[in-house]
Amino acid sequence: PGEAPPVGGSAAFGADRPPVGAADVLFDADEVDGVVTEQVGGSALFAARFRECAARALLLPRRDPGRRTPLWQQRQRAAQLLQVASEFGSFPIVLEAVRECLQDVFDVPGLSELMRDVAARRVRLVEVTTPEPSPFARSLLFGYVAQFLYEGDSPLAERRAAALSLDSGLLAELLGRAELRELLDAEVVAELERELRWLVPERRLRDAEGVADALRVLGPLSEEELAERGAEPAWARELAAARRAVQVRIAGRERWASVEDAGRLRDALGVALPVGVPEAFTEPVKDPLGDLLGRFARTHGPFTTEQAAERFGLGVAVVDGALHRMVAEGRLVRGEFHPGRAGGGQEWCDASVLRRLRRRSLAALRQELEPVPPTALAAFTPRWQHVDGGGLRGVDGLMRAVEQLQGAAVPASALERLVLPSRVADYSPTQLDELTTSGEVVWAGAGALPGKDGWVALYPADVAPLLLPEPLPLELSPAHRAVLAALGGGHGLFFRQLAERVAALEPEVTESQLADAVWELAWSGRLTNDTLAPLRSLLGSGRTAGATAHRARRRVPRGRYGSAVPRPASRSGPPTVAGRWSLLPEREEEPTSRAHTLGHTLLDRHGVVTRGAVAAEGVVGGFAAVYRVLSAFEESGQARRGYVVEGLGAAQFAMAGAVDRLRAANNARERDEKSGGALVLAAADPANVYGAALPWPESPEGGSHKPGRKAGSLVVLVDGELALYLERGGRTLLAWGQELLPRAVAALADAARRGLLGTVTVERANGSPVLTSEIGRELEAAGFHATPRGLRLRP
């Protein structure tokens, strides 16, 4: 998708049309099948396939077996055959041609499955623009010329194919689709049929006008049927006196009918009309029996041929032929629908009624589904964010991770040690620098932390103005004002250039004061850099223990060999302020646009948005600020609202594919409790739902510390359950669930060995000295070594 059209290509890829984008290739999985089936009959591809199928079936014989029939003559004969066959929806050659188009050429079932995978985030869509078609697109273009050679010619075959009608029942059998009998709910069918037949209290008849409406909408009714709907006998006679209703005999029973149906009843059923019916109501209509059967279908649920024949007093063969014709015209649908009707057999249903039945059955099914337990959400969220190694690789994978993390503040020391490497399998800092230096990604500070650390958030450059929060309060000093003035007007300056401009404004500001001022402005959300190199230098410049929240193995600086000639001062300044500094983009002030973007961001990041998840994001205004936007998403079909996770309230909004994946993840956990594995996450990672969407569990017995989403803290999840919580520095450990402990400790030790955590020294576990506790023995078994201070594991 998104590839530029080739030069000299088909008219369908003309230069006057914009290139196909990602939005053009996304479809509703439930609608793809019907749309393609409906449109394929009017294509040149179908005409060609029909001609081939008819030739294989020997329906296009040669006049002279020894001579080849010209192609134009084959097409003409096929068009004549199609003109006759299109009136019969069950004609086998038509069905076989459609089957070939839908399965052999287009592979519509595969497309529907792909759209479901895209909606469920099992497949990622990446839009790429290339100067020439890729090998895959080139093969499609070659096939396009072959399949649609005569698309613009519009011969007889193509023009007449537009009037094609199909037998949906037989086509469903050929395509191997499941019967709707298995999908519809019996109670829903019965309830909707009562509504259609005006048998619910809300449709009770209250006067003669109500009776006139009932006869017009429902058709002829007996006095007993009118009384069942609340009518009094005198009301129908009042309409008859006003010549608005007539009494006729249908199927051996007296019934009242609207005077507008007089001609239809006479021509379709042979009903004798009473004297005095105005001539305007007795004029012939085009399809009287079709009109009566169509109204019967619109006011009933799925019905059989026998039921319709009994209602109108006609032979089964007569009614069956008329119903088949209405199916071919697209007015009815044939299949097996009613779940409570034993013995099988074909039924008929109005297309609009069937759509209502499907929608209501799905709604009833959703109501019956029990919400998943909270631990299922804890197991689902990391997978939704690709923390479980969900296939993100390279710069494109990193960009997808940034899109999900956009606006979420995480500790800077954890960003490239825990957060991004857990999502992108082959992550390296150069990949992030490539995105920032090219202007695709912007980073912004969200508050300083003790030592050299701070909170940082990533934003795609195009949405940064819509998501950037207001800068944090900061008492501006002369150095701060000088830096802001020097960078005003959209300038991007290296540190030496910035120092020269600041010196012109504030000569007393020293280089160290300027560097401190730059970082204070950066942490407050006012400045950014075109690379993360100064941030990495700052995080590695601390000399005291605990300089950063998340510690890792210190890199040894590169040694320099050569002459001892004095070097001039660096042109770029200290490493902690390297790169080019600039002001963050101006924030969009329009509140609706900001709220709309925020709602999409929350849905994309969490899959299932709850009140607690929004509160943990620190959204200004809390859940109420995004509730109206999420409700609008629900009304437009972009999100679903329901009680998805138990215990989190009814105001839960989820993306369409997220609910299915959440329930599938829960079912997988029920089948195999070891399916999820153990994950080591920063406590402040958005993939950790504890302390956000889910509350922290009660502190284990003997544990005086309370867990929190603090910088430097770690959590270990096993199958969605919180197993370990490690305080900043590792001195205090909280553990839940003895059966989860071995797997959690093994995952913690593996992360420490890989250098993600630095040196881990555990002194106390659940409030007790770790050296004498049961947890300590598990840690020793995983590779921790005893020291006078506790149990230690080095990278």
Side-chain angles (χ1 to χ4, degrees):
E3 295 179 346
V7 179
S10 171
F13 297 91
D16 56 333
R17 297 184 57 183
V20 178
D24 299 318
V25 297
L26 290 178
F27 312 99
D28 189 334
D30 297 329
E31 297 180 357
V32 167
D33 202 357
V35 171
V36 177
T37 303
E38 180 182 353
Q39 297 296 327
V40 73
S43 66
L45 170 65
F46 172 78
R49 290 285 173 166
F50 178 82
R51 183 180 70 250
E52 295 173 4
C53 292
R56 288 198 302 269
L58 303 181
L59 295 179
L60 300 177
R62 299 179 183 179
R63 295 183 178 178
D64 185 353
R67 298 182 58 185
R68 176 183 175 275
T69 304
L71 179 60
W72 67 268
Q73 200 171 74
Q74 295 180 33
R75 295 173 64 194
Q76 188 177 46
R77 292 181 183 178
Q80 294 171 351
L81 177 62
L82 181 59
Q83 183 180 12
V84 178
S86 62
E87 299 179 3
F88 302 93
S90 59
F91 191 69
I93 306 303
V94 173
L95 293 175
E96 174 60 17
V98 174
R99 188 203 65 77
E100 286 191 11
C101 293
L102 297 184
Q103 291 189 340
D104 298 347
V105 179
F106 291 145
D107 190 14
V108 175
L111 177 61
S112 300
E113 183 179 357
L114 176 61
M115 292 300 103
R116 292 189 180 91
D117 289 342
V118 171
R121 301 302 178 91
R122 287 188 288 267
V123 172
R124 184 164 55 95
L125 180 64
V126 179
E127 184 172 356
V128 178
T129 301
T130 58
E132 60 183 13
S134 65
F136 176 74
R138 190 177 294 112
S139 66
L140 292 179
L141 293 178
F142 180 81
Y144 177 88
V145 175
Q147 300 288 356
F148 295 88
L149 182 64
Y150 301 101
E151 182 70 23
D153 190 10
S154 296
L156 288 176
E158 283 74 6
R159 289 201 300 268
R160 289 172 180 168
L164 177 69
S165 58
L166 301 175
D167 187 323
S168 58
L170 286 179
L171 184 60
E173 293 179 9
L174 289 173
L175 299 180
R177 302 174 192 162
E179 293 291 350
L180 283 176
R181 183 193 302 276
E182 304 173 5
L183 306 178
L184 300 183
D185 185 271
E187 295 183 1
V188 170
V189 174
E191 179 183 359
L192 180 60
E193 186 159 357
R194 287 194 298 269
E195 294 180 12
L196 295 173
R197 297 178 62 187
W198 292 24
L199 294 175
V200 293
E202 295 80 9
R203 303 308 298 262
R204 298 279 294 178
L205 304 180
R206 295 179 174 83
D207 49 28
E209 291 299 328
V211 173
D213 290 340
L215 296 179
R216 176 173 48 83
V217 175
L218 303 179
L221 298 172
S222 64
E223 291 191 355
E224 293 79 6
E225 291 171 334
L226 287 172
E228 187 179 8
R229 292 162 175 81
E232 297 181 4
W235 294 348
R237 298 187 181 91
E238 179 182 340
L239 293 175
R243 293 190 176 184
R244 298 176 61 188
V246 294
Q247 192 171 25
V248 295
R249 191 173 185 83
I250 301 176
R253 298 184 61 185
E254 295 291 335
R255 296 178 187 171
W256 291 100
S258 175
V259 69
E260 288 87 351
D261 289 335
R264 294 183 179 86
L265 296 175
R266 179 199 60 196
D267 298 340
L269 309 181
V271 171
L273 300 179
V275 179
V277 176
E279 185 177 353
F281 298 120
T282 60
E283 293 181 357
V285 295
K286 181 179 179 180
D287 186 10
L289 181 57
D291 293 345
L292 295 178
L293 291 174
R295 180 168 57 190
F296 179 83
R298 290 192 300 272
T299 56
H300 289 74
F303 63 93
T304 62
T305 305
E306 291 75 13
Q307 290 174 324
E310 181 182 359
R311 178 67 183 177
F312 295 106
L314 296 173
V316 173
V318 176
V319 174
D320 190 70
L323 293 175
H324 273 89
R325 176 173 50 81
M326 295 174 68
V327 169
E329 295 172 356
R331 299 165 64 182
L332 297 181
V333 179
R334 190 180 71 161
E336 297 184 7
F337 308 114
H338 205 298
R341 187 165 289 148
Q346 292 296 315
E347 298 169 312
W348 316 87
C349 188
D350 182 80
S352 61
V353 172
L354 183 59
R355 285 194 294 270
R356 295 175 64 182
L357 284 174
R358 292 187 61 180
R359 286 197 299 266
R360 293 196 182 187
S361 296
L362 289 175
L365 181 61
R366 295 190 186 104
Q367 291 178 357
E368 292 177 359
L369 291 175
E370 296 183 358
V372 299
T375 51
L377 178 64
F380 156 79
T381 304
R383 298 178 184 178
W384 181 259
Q385 297 187 16
H386 308 281
V387 173
D388 59 342
L392 297 184
R393 290 182 176 275
V395 177
D396 290 337
L398 176 59
M399 189 64 195
R400 174 61 192 136
V402 171
E403 290 174 352
Q404 278 197 311
L405 291 171
Q406 58 186 5
V410 298
S413 55
L415 178 65
E416 295 188 292
R417 297 174 184 171
L418 292 172
V419 178
L420 294 180
S422 65
R423 289 163 168 80
V424 184
D426 56 350
Y427 175 77
S428 68
T430 56
Q431 295 172 342
L432 186 55
D433 286 343
E434 179 180 342
L435 293 176
T436 55
T437 54
S438 64
E440 295 184 64
V441 172
V442 175
W443 67 269
L449 288 168
K452 301 289 186 177
D453 208 349
W455 297 94
V456 66
L458 301 177
Y459 302 87
D462 54 344
V463 299
L466 294 166
L467 291 177
L468 279 169
E470 290 295 326
L472 298 176
L474 177 66
E475 185 177 350
L476 297 180
S477 65
H480 295 147
R481 294 190 179 92
V483 171
L484 294 177
L487 295 176
H491 298 297
L493 301 177
F494 292 102
F495 183 76
R496 288 302 175 194
Q497 298 170 327
L498 180 61
E500 293 173 359
R501 296 199 179 192
V502 170
L505 298 172
E506 295 289 341
E508 298 180 358
V509 177
T510 64
E511 182 176 292
S512 62
Q513 291 175 337
L514 178 58
D516 292 341
V518 167
W519 273 111
E520 289 170 358
L521 291 171
W523 289 133
S524 67
R526 291 175 171 85
L527 298 188
T528 186
N529 197 290
D530 59 0
T531 177
L532 269 77
L535 179 59
R536 300 184 190 108
S537 297
L538 181 69
L539 296 175
S541 64
R543 296 297 180 183
T544 60
T548 60
H550 294 269
R551 292 177 295 171
R553 182 187 305 171
R554 185 181 301 278
R555 293 187 177 91
V556 178
R558 294 190 302 270
R560 294 188 177 183
Y561 304 93
S563 63
V565 177
R567 298 177 179 272
S570 171
R571 294 182 179 180
S572 60
T576 57
V577 287
R580 187 164 47 190
W581 294 92
S582 61
L583 297 178
L584 281 166
E586 291 290 333
R587 292 154 182 81
E588 173 64 51
E589 298 298 334
E590 212 288 309
T592 303
S593 299
R594 291 182 63 89
H596 179 269
T597 305
L598 178 60
H600 273 297
T601 299
L602 293 174
L603 283 171
D604 185 32
R605 176 150 57 241
H606 299 286
V608 179
V609 179
T610 63
R611 184 182 299 272
V614 175
E617 295 271 353
V619 175
V620 178
F623 188 67
V626 296
Y627 179 82
R628 294 180 61 184
V629 176
L630 295 175
S631 298
F633 287 169
E634 180 193 16
E635 295 172 0
S636 61
Q638 301 179 57
R640 297 179 183 177
R641 176 178 176 174
Y643 190 53
V644 182
V645 184
E646 62 184 14
L648 301 185
Q652 301 177 32
F653 296 87
M655 299 188 70
V659 178
D660 297 334
R661 285 192 62 182
L662 177 58
R663 300 193 187 282
N666 183 54
N667 294 336
R669 290 177 66 256
E670 292 176 354
R671 291 192 302 267
D672 182 7
E673 287 296 331
K674 295 184 179 181
S675 61
L679 294 175
V680 179
L681 302 173
D685 192 318
N688 170 37
V689 298
Y690 289 98
L694 302 181
W696 293 103
E698 292 292 332
S699 296
E701 185 177 356
S704 58
H705 290 271
K706 292 185 178 180
R709 298 178 67 86
K710 309 171 187 175
S713 299
L714 301 172
V715 295
V716 182
L717 307 181
V718 179
D719 295 324
E721 297 188 31
L722 181 60
L724 294 179
Y725 175 83
L726 197 65
E727 286 278 4
R728 175 175 177 175
R731 293 183 177 87
T732 301
L733 179 69
L734 301 179
W736 293 266
Q738 186 64 33
E739 67 282 357
L740 305 177
L741 192 57
R743 296 167 61 194
V745 169
L748 180 65
D750 179 66
R753 291 191 186 94
R754 288 186 287 127
L756 301 178
L757 313 179
T759 300
V760 179
T761 303
V762 181
E763 298 179 7
R764 302 184 66 84
N766 289 353
S768 303
V770 70
L771 293 173
T772 59
S773 66
E774 179 66 27
I775 300 176
R777 286 188 283 274
E778 291 287 351
L779 292 172
E780 289 187 274
F784 282 73
H785 303 286
T787 67
R789 295 180 55 188
L791 294 176
R792 177 179 299 169
L793 183 61
R794 296 182 183 275

